[in-house]
PDB file of all heavy atoms in Angstrom:
ATOM      1  N   LEU A  51     -27.323  88.485  60.124  1.00 97.00           N
ATOM      2  CA  LEU A  51     -26.270  88.658  61.130  1.00 97.00           C
ATOM      3  C   LEU A  51     -26.585  89.792  62.103  1.00 97.00           C
ATOM      4  O   LEU A  51     -26.252  89.704  63.287  1.00 97.00           O
ATOM      5  CB  LEU A  51     -24.931  88.883  60.436  1.00 97.00           C
ATOM      6  CG  LEU A  51     -24.507  87.610  59.689  1.00 97.00           C
ATOM      7  CD1 LEU A  51     -23.539  87.915  58.575  1.00 97.00           C
ATOM      8  CD2 LEU A  51     -23.923  86.590  60.651  1.00 97.00           C
ATOM      9  N   SER A  52     -27.250  90.834  61.627  1.00 97.00           N
ATOM     10  CA  SER A  52     -27.607  91.911  62.574  1.00 97.00           C
ATOM     11  C   SER A  52     -28.684  91.415  63.523  1.00 97.00           C
ATOM     12  O   SER A  52     -28.699  91.776  64.701  1.00 97.00           O
ATOM     13  CB  SER A  52     -28.022  93.186  61.846  1.00 97.00           C
ATOM     14  OG  SER A  52     -29.179  92.943  61.104  1.00 97.00           O
ATOM     15  N   THR A  53     -29.571  90.551  63.049  1.00 97.00           N
ATOM     16  CA  THR A  53     -30.604  89.996  63.934  1.00 97.00           C
ATOM     17  C   THR A  53     -29.949  89.143  65.021  1.00 97.00           C
ATOM     18  O   THR A  53     -30.261  89.272  66.203  1.00 97.00           O
ATOM     19  CB  THR A  53     -31.600  89.134  63.116  1.00 97.00           C
ATOM     20  OG1 THR A  53     -32.012  89.887  61.988  1.00 97.00           O
ATOM     21  CG2 THR A  53     -32.788  88.712  63.943  1.00 97.00           C
ATOM     22  N   LEU A  54     -29.003  88.300  64.603  1.00 97.00           N
ATOM     23  CA  LEU A  54     -28.348  87.406  65.575  1.00 97.00           C
ATOM     24  C   LEU A  54     -27.422  88.155  66.524  1.00 97.00           C
ATOM     25  O   LEU A  54     -27.319  87.828  67.704  1.00 97.00           O
ATOM     26  CB  LEU A  54     -27.556  86.315  64.838  1.00 97.00           C
ATOM     27  CG  LEU A  54     -28.404  85.275  64.114  1.00 97.00           C
ATOM     28  CD1 LEU A  54     -27.542  84.425  63.189  1.00 97.00           C
ATOM     29  CD2 LEU A  54     -29.131  84.379  65.127  1.00 97.00           C
ATOM     30  N   SER A  55     -26.724  89.191  66.003  1.00 97.00           N
ATOM     31  CA  SER A  55     -25.753  89.908  66.856  1.00 97.00           C
ATOM     32  C   SER A  55     -26.397  91.057  67.614  1.00 97.00           C
ATOM     33  O   SER A  55     -25.759  91.661  68.478  1.00 97.00           O
ATOM     34  CB  SER A  55     -24.599  90.435  66.000  1.00 97.00           C
ATOM     35  OG  SER A  55     -25.078  91.426  65.108  1.00 97.00           O
ATOM     36  N   LYS A  56     -27.640  91.369  67.268  1.00 96.00           N
ATOM     37  CA  LYS A  56     -28.380  92.476  67.894  1.00 96.00           C
ATOM     38  C   LYS A  56     -27.661  93.810  67.700  1.00 96.00           C
ATOM     39  O   LYS A  56     -27.667  94.683  68.556  1.00 96.00           O
ATOM     40  CB  LYS A  56     -28.606  92.211  69.397  1.00 96.00           C
ATOM     41  CG  LYS A  56     -29.287  90.874  69.686  1.00 96.00           C
ATOM     42  CD  LYS A  56     -29.491  90.701  71.195  1.00 96.00           C
ATOM     43  CE  LYS A  56     -30.178  89.416  71.537  1.00 96.00           C
ATOM     44  NZ  LYS A  56     -29.326  88.250  71.544  1.00 96.00           N
ATOM     45  N   LYS A  57     -26.985  93.956  66.593  1.00 95.00           N
ATOM     46  CA  LYS A  57     -26.237  95.171  66.283  1.00 95.00           C
ATOM     47  C   LYS A  57     -26.244  95.360  64.778  1.00 95.00           C
ATOM     48  O   LYS A  57     -26.187  94.359  64.052  1.00 95.00           O
ATOM     49  CB  LYS A  57     -24.761  94.962  66.672  1.00 95.00           C
ATOM     50  CG  LYS A  57     -24.297  95.713  67.899  1.00 95.00           C
ATOM     51  CD  LYS A  57     -22.782  95.529  67.985  1.00 95.00           C
ATOM     52  CE  LYS A  57     -22.253  95.666  69.376  1.00 95.00           C
ATOM     53  NZ  LYS A  57     -22.452  96.931  69.997  1.00 95.00           N
ATOM     54  N   ALA A  58     -26.225  96.629  64.341  1.00 93.00           N
ATOM     55  CA  ALA A  58     -26.134  96.876  62.900  1.00 93.00           C
ATOM     56  C   ALA A  58     -24.826  96.304  62.369  1.00 93.00           C
ATOM     57  O   ALA A  58     -23.790  96.393  63.028  1.00 93.00           O
ATOM     58  CB  ALA A  58     -26.178  98.379  62.637  1.00 93.00           C
ATOM     59  N   VAL A  59     -24.886  95.691  61.201  1.00 95.00           N
ATOM     60  CA  VAL A  59     -23.696  95.118  60.578  1.00 95.00           C
ATOM     61  C   VAL A  59     -23.066  96.179  59.685  1.00 95.00           C
ATOM     62  O   VAL A  59     -23.773  96.901  58.986  1.00 95.00           O
ATOM     63  CB  VAL A  59     -24.104  93.876  59.746  1.00 95.00           C
ATOM     64  CG1 VAL A  59     -22.991  93.418  58.831  1.00 95.00           C
ATOM     65  CG2 VAL A  59     -24.537  92.746  60.684  1.00 95.00           C
ATOM     66  N   PHE A  60     -21.732  96.300  59.726  1.00 93.00           N
ATOM     67  CA  PHE A  60     -21.062  97.259  58.853  1.00 93.00           C
ATOM     68  C   PHE A  60     -20.547  96.549  57.603  1.00 93.00           C
ATOM     69  O   PHE A  60     -19.875  95.527  57.695  1.00 93.00           O
ATOM     70  CB  PHE A  60     -19.894  97.940  59.563  1.00 93.00           C
ATOM     71  CG  PHE A  60     -20.301  98.766  60.760  1.00 93.00           C
ATOM     72  CD1 PHE A  60     -19.441  98.893  61.839  1.00 93.00           C
ATOM     73  CD2 PHE A  60     -21.526  99.418  60.809  1.00 93.00           C
ATOM     74  CE1 PHE A  60     -19.806  99.650  62.944  1.00 93.00           C
ATOM     75  CE2 PHE A  60     -21.900 100.177  61.904  1.00 93.00           C
ATOM     76  CZ  PHE A  60     -21.038 100.296  62.980  1.00 93.00           C
ATOM     77  N   THR A  61     -20.890  97.119  56.449  1.00 93.00           N
ATOM     78  CA  THR A  61     -20.451  96.519  55.188  1.00 93.00           C
ATOM     79  C   THR A  61     -19.591  97.492  54.368  1.00 93.00           C
ATOM     80  O   THR A  61     -18.993  97.103  53.381  1.00 93.00           O
ATOM     81  CB  THR A  61     -21.674  96.115  54.332  1.00 93.00           C
ATOM     82  OG1 THR A  61     -22.485  97.277  54.160  1.00 93.00           O
ATOM     83  CG2 THR A  61     -22.477  95.016  54.995  1.00 93.00           C
ATOM     84  N   GLU A  62     -19.579  98.749  54.776  1.00 89.00           N
ATOM     85  CA  GLU A  62     -18.835  99.777  54.029  1.00 89.00           C
ATOM     86  C   GLU A  62     -18.070 100.632  55.028  1.00 89.00           C
ATOM     87  O   GLU A  62     -18.505 100.785  56.166  1.00 89.00           O
ATOM     88  CB  GLU A  62     -19.814 100.748  53.317  1.00 89.00           C
ATOM     89  CG  GLU A  62     -20.875 100.087  52.487  1.00 89.00           C
ATOM     90  CD  GLU A  62     -20.391  99.745  51.104  1.00 89.00           C
ATOM     91  OE1 GLU A  62     -19.276 100.164  50.750  1.00 89.00           O
ATOM     92  OE2 GLU A  62     -21.109  99.034  50.384  1.00 89.00           O
ATOM     93  N   VAL A  63     -16.957 101.213  54.554  1.00 84.00           N
ATOM     94  CA  VAL A  63     -16.250 102.161  55.422  1.00 84.00           C
ATOM     95  C   VAL A  63     -17.124 103.400  55.604  1.00 84.00           C
ATOM     96  O   VAL A  63     -17.232 103.948  56.686  1.00 84.00           O
ATOM     97  CB  VAL A  63     -14.858 102.536  54.836  1.00 84.00           C
ATOM     98  CG1 VAL A  63     -14.163 103.579  55.702  1.00 84.00           C
ATOM     99  CG2 VAL A  63     -13.974 101.294  54.725  1.00 84.00           C
ATOM    100  N   SER A  64     -17.775 103.807  54.527  1.00 75.00           N
ATOM    101  CA  SER A  64     -18.708 104.920  54.683  1.00 75.00           C
ATOM    102  C   SER A  64     -19.916 104.695  53.774  1.00 75.00           C
ATOM    103  O   SER A  64     -19.809 104.026  52.741  1.00 75.00           O
ATOM    104  CB  SER A  64     -18.038 106.248  54.326  1.00 75.00           C
ATOM    105  OG  SER A  64     -17.617 106.195  52.988  1.00 75.00           O
ATOM    106  N   SER A  65     -21.039 105.204  54.225  1.00 66.00           N
ATOM    107  CA  SER A  65     -22.228 105.157  53.380  1.00 66.00           C
ATOM    108  C   SER A  65     -22.672 106.614  53.172  1.00 66.00           C
ATOM    109  O   SER A  65     -22.013 107.529  53.666  1.00 66.00           O
ATOM    110  CB  SER A  65     -23.321 104.356  54.081  1.00 66.00           C
ATOM    111  OG  SER A  65     -23.674 105.012  55.271  1.00 66.00           O
ATOM    112  N   GLU A  66     -23.798 106.810  52.494  1.00 58.00           N
ATOM    113  CA  GLU A  66     -24.263 108.183  52.229  1.00 58.00           C
ATOM    114  C   GLU A  66     -24.460 108.957  53.515  1.00 58.00           C
ATOM    115  O   GLU A  66     -24.183 110.140  53.615  1.00 58.00           O
ATOM    116  CB  GLU A  66     -25.589 108.130  51.469  1.00 58.00           C
ATOM    117  CG  GLU A  66     -25.363 108.164  49.983  1.00 58.00           C
ATOM    118  CD  GLU A  66     -26.651 107.922  49.221  1.00 58.00           C
ATOM    119  OE1 GLU A  66     -27.729 108.174  49.765  1.00 58.00           O
ATOM    120  OE2 GLU A  66     -26.536 107.459  48.067  1.00 58.00           O
ATOM    121  N   SER A  67     -24.907 108.226  54.557  1.00 61.00           N
ATOM    122  CA  SER A  67     -25.296 108.948  55.770  1.00 61.00           C
ATOM    123  C   SER A  67     -24.285 108.827  56.905  1.00 61.00           C
ATOM    124  O   SER A  67     -24.382 109.556  57.882  1.00 61.00           O
ATOM    125  CB  SER A  67     -26.649 108.407  56.250  1.00 61.00           C
ATOM    126  OG  SER A  67     -26.540 107.014  56.406  1.00 61.00           O
ATOM    127  N   ALA A  68     -23.303 107.899  56.807  1.00 64.00           N
ATOM    128  CA  ALA A  68     -22.436 107.721  57.972  1.00 64.00           C
ATOM    129  C   ALA A  68     -21.050 107.239  57.571  1.00 64.00           C
ATOM    130  O   ALA A  68     -20.866 106.636  56.508  1.00 64.00           O
ATOM    131  CB  ALA A  68     -23.070 106.688  58.912  1.00 64.00           C
ATOM    132  N   TRP A  69     -20.087 107.532  58.460  1.00 66.00           N
ATOM    133  CA  TRP A  69     -18.731 107.008  58.295  1.00 66.00           C
ATOM    134  C   TRP A  69     -18.520 106.010  59.427  1.00 66.00           C
ATOM    135  O   TRP A  69     -18.655 106.359  60.605  1.00 66.00           O
ATOM    136  CB  TRP A  69     -17.718 108.148  58.381  1.00 66.00           C
ATOM    137  CG  TRP A  69     -16.301 107.682  58.182  1.00 66.00           C
ATOM    138  CD1 TRP A  69     -15.791 107.101  57.078  1.00 66.00           C
ATOM    139  CD2 TRP A  69     -15.227 107.776  59.131  1.00 66.00           C
ATOM    140  NE1 TRP A  69     -14.453 106.815  57.256  1.00 66.00           N
ATOM    141  CE2 TRP A  69     -14.075 107.225  58.502  1.00 66.00           C
ATOM    142  CE3 TRP A  69     -15.102 108.270  60.422  1.00 66.00           C
ATOM    143  CZ2 TRP A  69     -12.841 107.146  59.132  1.00 66.00           C
ATOM    144  CZ3 TRP A  69     -13.874 108.207  61.042  1.00 66.00           C
ATOM    145  CH2 TRP A  69     -12.748 107.639  60.403  1.00 66.00           C
ATOM    146  N   ASN A  70     -18.283 104.764  59.073  1.00 63.00           N
ATOM    147  CA  ASN A  70     -18.098 103.757  60.109  1.00 63.00           C
ATOM    148  C   ASN A  70     -16.650 103.784  60.564  1.00 63.00           C
ATOM    149  O   ASN A  70     -15.751 103.442  59.807  1.00 63.00           O
ATOM    150  CB  ASN A  70     -18.475 102.374  59.564  1.00 63.00           C
ATOM    151  CG  ASN A  70     -19.959 102.325  59.252  1.00 63.00           C
ATOM    152  OD1 ASN A  70     -20.775 102.861  59.993  1.00 63.00           O
ATOM    153  ND2 ASN A  70     -20.298 101.706  58.131  1.00 63.00           N
ATOM    154  N   ASN A  71     -16.457 104.224  61.799  1.00 74.00           N
ATOM    155  CA  ASN A  71     -15.115 104.513  62.266  1.00 74.00           C
ATOM    156  C   ASN A  71     -14.342 103.232  62.578  1.00 74.00           C
ATOM    157  O   ASN A  71     -14.451 102.671  63.653  1.00 74.00           O
ATOM    158  CB  ASN A  71     -15.185 105.415  63.503  1.00 74.00           C
ATOM    159  CG  ASN A  71     -13.836 105.965  63.848  1.00 74.00           C
ATOM    160  OD1 ASN A  71     -12.822 105.361  63.529  1.00 74.00           O
ATOM    161  ND2 ASN A  71     -13.823 107.115  64.487  1.00 74.00           N
ATOM    162  N   HIS A  72     -13.532 102.816  61.613  1.00 72.00           N
ATOM    163  CA  HIS A  72     -12.790 101.560  61.793  1.00 72.00           C
ATOM    164  C   HIS A  72     -11.699 101.709  62.838  1.00 72.00           C
ATOM    165  O   HIS A  72     -11.292 100.745  63.467  1.00 72.00           O
ATOM    166  CB  HIS A  72     -12.194 101.103  60.457  1.00 72.00           C
ATOM    167  CG  HIS A  72     -11.384 102.150  59.769  1.00 72.00           C
ATOM    168  ND1 HIS A  72     -10.077 102.345  60.053  1.00 72.00           N
ATOM    169  CD2 HIS A  72     -11.740 103.075  58.850  1.00 72.00           C
ATOM    170  CE1 HIS A  72      -9.636 103.360  59.307  1.00 72.00           C
ATOM    171  NE2 HIS A  72     -10.627 103.811  58.576  1.00 72.00           N
ATOM    172  N   VAL A  73     -11.195 102.953  63.034  1.00 75.00           N
ATOM    173  CA  VAL A  73     -10.139 103.159  64.030  1.00 75.00           C
ATOM    174  C   VAL A  73     -10.736 102.930  65.419  1.00 75.00           C
ATOM    175  O   VAL A  73     -10.184 102.206  66.248  1.00 75.00           O
ATOM    176  CB  VAL A  73      -9.544 104.576  63.914  1.00 75.00           C
ATOM    177  CG1 VAL A  73      -8.474 104.790  64.978  1.00 75.00           C
ATOM    178  CG2 VAL A  73      -8.957 104.784  62.524  1.00 75.00           C
ATOM    179  N   GLU A  74     -11.920 103.511  65.623  1.00 81.00           N
ATOM    180  CA  GLU A  74     -12.607 103.321  66.905  1.00 81.00           C
ATOM    181  C   GLU A  74     -12.915 101.842  67.129  1.00 81.00           C
ATOM    182  O   GLU A  74     -12.714 101.308  68.210  1.00 81.00           O
ATOM    183  CB  GLU A  74     -13.926 104.087  66.879  1.00 81.00           C
ATOM    184  CG  GLU A  74     -14.095 105.014  68.063  1.00 81.00           C
ATOM    185  CD  GLU A  74     -15.263 105.941  67.832  1.00 81.00           C
ATOM    186  OE1 GLU A  74     -16.366 105.434  67.573  1.00 81.00           O
ATOM    187  OE2 GLU A  74     -15.048 107.166  67.873  1.00 81.00           O
ATOM    188  N   LEU A  75     -13.357 101.190  66.076  1.00 84.00           N
ATOM    189  CA  LEU A  75     -13.671  99.752  66.156  1.00 84.00           C
ATOM    190  C   LEU A  75     -12.434  98.956  66.563  1.00 84.00           C
ATOM    191  O   LEU A  75     -12.489  98.071  67.408  1.00 84.00           O
ATOM    192  CB  LEU A  75     -14.106  99.233  64.783  1.00 84.00           C
ATOM    193  CG  LEU A  75     -15.566  99.244  64.454  1.00 84.00           C
ATOM    194  CD1 LEU A  75     -15.771  98.754  63.022  1.00 84.00           C
ATOM    195  CD2 LEU A  75     -16.337  98.360  65.418  1.00 84.00           C
ATOM    196  N   GLY A  76     -11.320  99.312  65.923  1.00 81.00           N
ATOM    197  CA  GLY A  76     -10.055  98.626  66.184  1.00 81.00           C
ATOM    198  C   GLY A  76      -9.631  98.776  67.636  1.00 81.00           C
ATOM    199  O   GLY A  76      -8.987  97.892  68.192  1.00 81.00           O
ATOM    200  N   LEU A  77      -9.967  99.884  68.248  1.00 85.00           N
ATOM    201  CA  LEU A  77      -9.595 100.116  69.648  1.00 85.00           C
ATOM    202  C   LEU A  77     -10.612  99.500  70.601  1.00 85.00           C
ATOM    203  O   LEU A  77     -10.299  99.134  71.725  1.00 85.00           O
ATOM    204  CB  LEU A  77      -9.484 101.628  69.929  1.00 85.00           C
ATOM    205  CG  LEU A  77      -8.396 102.360  69.156  1.00 85.00           C
ATOM    206  CD1 LEU A  77      -8.425 103.849  69.466  1.00 85.00           C
ATOM    207  CD2 LEU A  77      -7.023 101.793  69.491  1.00 85.00           C
ATOM    208  N   TRP A  78     -11.859  99.397  70.126  1.00 91.00           N
ATOM    209  CA  TRP A  78     -12.970  98.907  70.962  1.00 91.00           C
ATOM    210  C   TRP A  78     -12.823  97.423  71.291  1.00 91.00           C
ATOM    211  O   TRP A  78     -13.067  96.978  72.413  1.00 91.00           O
ATOM    212  CB  TRP A  78     -14.275  99.160  70.202  1.00 91.00           C
ATOM    213  CG  TRP A  78     -15.502  98.472  70.711  1.00 91.00           C
ATOM    214  CD1 TRP A  78     -16.307  98.913  71.729  1.00 91.00           C
ATOM    215  CD2 TRP A  78     -16.090  97.257  70.224  1.00 91.00           C
ATOM    216  NE1 TRP A  78     -17.352  98.039  71.901  1.00 91.00           N
ATOM    217  CE2 TRP A  78     -17.244  97.008  70.993  1.00 91.00           C
ATOM    218  CE3 TRP A  78     -15.754  96.350  69.205  1.00 91.00           C
ATOM    219  CZ2 TRP A  78     -18.062  95.904  70.793  1.00 91.00           C
ATOM    220  CZ3 TRP A  78     -16.572  95.246  69.000  1.00 91.00           C
ATOM    221  CH2 TRP A  78     -17.709  95.033  69.795  1.00 91.00           C
ATOM    222  N   ALA A  79     -12.327  96.666  70.316  1.00 93.00           N
ATOM    223  CA  ALA A  79     -12.426  95.204  70.415  1.00 93.00           C
ATOM    224  C   ALA A  79     -11.390  94.589  71.353  1.00 93.00           C
ATOM    225  O   ALA A  79     -10.262  95.062  71.453  1.00 93.00           O
ATOM    226  CB  ALA A  79     -12.259  94.600  69.026  1.00 93.00           C
ATOM    227  N   ASP A  80     -11.801  93.499  72.028  1.00 92.00           N
ATOM    228  CA  ASP A  80     -10.854  92.661  72.798  1.00 92.00           C
ATOM    229  C   ASP A  80     -10.237  91.609  71.885  1.00 92.00           C
ATOM    230  O   ASP A  80      -9.178  91.068  72.189  1.00 92.00           O
ATOM    231  CB  ASP A  80     -11.585  91.942  73.941  1.00 92.00           C
ATOM    232  CG  ASP A  80     -12.146  92.925  74.962  1.00 92.00           C
ATOM    233  OD1 ASP A  80     -11.375  93.792  75.395  1.00 92.00           O
ATOM    234  OD2 ASP A  80     -13.347  92.837  75.289  1.00 92.00           O
ATOM    235  N   ALA A  81     -10.932  91.293  70.814  1.00 95.00           N
ATOM    236  CA  ALA A  81     -10.404  90.321  69.847  1.00 95.00           C
ATOM    237  C   ALA A  81     -11.108  90.542  68.519  1.00 95.00           C
ATOM    238  O   ALA A  81     -12.250  91.013  68.481  1.00 95.00           O
ATOM    239  CB  ALA A  81     -10.653  88.893  70.310  1.00 95.00           C
TER     240      ALA A  81
END
Side-chain angles (χ1 to χ4, degrees):
L51 293 157
S52 64
T53 311
L54 290 168
S55 66
K56 306 181 179 80
K57 252 188 205 298
V59 167
F60 297 149
T61 56
E62 309 276 352
V63 177
S64 60
S65 63
E66 268 172 24
S67 55
W69 182 62
N70 294 320
N71 192 334
H72 53 85
V73 179
E74 233 168 55
L75 268 177
L77 296 177
W78 167 83
D80 296 310

